[in-house]
Structure formats: structure tokens, C-alpha cells
Amino acid sequence: MKRMMLLMVIVTQALVVSAQNQAKLIHAVADYINEGKDTAFFNLFDSKFKTQFPLSEVNRAMPGMRNLLGEIKNTELAGQRDDAFSYKVTGTKSTFHILIAPSKENLDKISAFLLTADNPFFEIIVKRDKINSDNEMKTAIDLYVDSAVKSLL
């Protein structure tokens, strides 16, 4: 019984730490976007994500994000699935969702980042039947990809 209680305390503590890290990450993302600190934003990525989204691409994408959102005024947790968190981000020009997944090696780093008009966890499932798709929606990555494609349509 004591072991079970100890295990529950450890799991609860791990969830609290994870939520705190996510809050810290989304606030850092918002600050870096608002302040135009592209390199600091890039340094939030883990090493694997940096190879997929190099600094030159971040430098090209950040002005567009700032123009799209305006100054970020509010971030609100919209959902969580597996290790990824979706935040509703309200800027002076528009409201979008940002999906952040922490690195498994270092919780202070981002292993996935997605800016989308739709909540990548919930609304996309409801709207999905309105367009043709061969995506079978079997994994969390399938949902992210489907959300990204829909945000472009």
C-alpha cells in the first residue's frame, strides 16, 4: 500500500513538473515572438528539431508569425494529448493555436512546434469529414499533419 501511494505521489509530481515546463515554454515562445528574438526562439528547439527547422528558416518564418498574430496578449491551454500541449494564442491581430511537444531528452526544449488556425486536438476531428483525405488518423502525428494541411486550405 505504501509503495502504491509513493508511486501515485511520484506520478502526480511528474505531471505537475511537465505542466510547469509547458507553461514556461509557451511564455518563452510568446515573449520571443513579441520581441523579435528569432535566435532565442530557435534555441528553444532540441537538436533533432533544429536540423528539421534550421535558423535560416526560423528567420524567414518569424516575421510572418508576428505579422499574422500581432503582439501576443494571452496564451491559454486548450488541450493535451500524449506529450503535446495545444495553446490558444490571442494576439492583437488574430487568434491561433500553437502546439508544443517537449523533447523527451530535455523538457526545457521543444521537439515539435505547429502554428495552426484550428485546435489540432479537437476541432479538426469534427471538421475532417468536409474534405477528402487519405489520412487514417491513427496516431497523434496524423492529427498534427491533418491540422497543418487544413490550416493551409
Side-chain angles (χ1 to χ4, degrees), residues 4 7-9 14 27 30 32 34 36-37 41 48-49 60 85 87 90 92 107 125-127 140-141 153:
M4 181 62 104
L7 180 62
M8 288 175 49
V9 167
H27 290 299
Y32 296 155
N34 284 343
K37 295 183 176 180
F41 177 69
K48 188 182 288 188
F49 193 55
R60 284 190 1 203
F85 294 77
Y87 287 88
T90 305
T92 55
L107 293 177
I125 295 168
V126 174
K127 294 179 182 179
I141 295 298
L153 296 177

Side-chain angles (χ1 to χ4, degrees), residues 53-109:
F53 196 39
L55 181 57
S56 60
E57 293 297 320
V58 170
N59 289 336
R60 284 190 1 203
M62 290 293 279
M65 273 198 290
R66 281 190 290 278
N67 187 42
L68 184 68
L69 290 166
E71 182 181 351
I72 296 174
K73 296 290 188 182
N74 186 40
T75 59
E76 174 187 339
L77 182 64
Q80 176 183 359
R81 183 170 294 153
D82 300 325
D83 292 331
F85 294 77
S86 173
Y87 287 88
K88 182 178 178 183
V89 178
T90 305
T92 55
K93 293 183 178 180
S94 61
T95 299
F96 275 79
H97 288 269
I98 291 179
L99 178 120
I100 294 177
S103 170
K104 294 190 186 309
E105 291 79 34
N106 182 350
L107 293 177
D108 292 329
K109 297 291 184 181

Side-chain angles (χ1 to χ4, degrees), residues 81 119-129 137 143:
R81 183 170 294 153
N119 182 329
F121 294 144
F122 304 106
E123 294 174 25
I124 201 69
I125 295 168
V126 174
K127 294 179 182 179
R128 183 171 186 283
D129 62 344
M137 309 295 278
L143 292 171

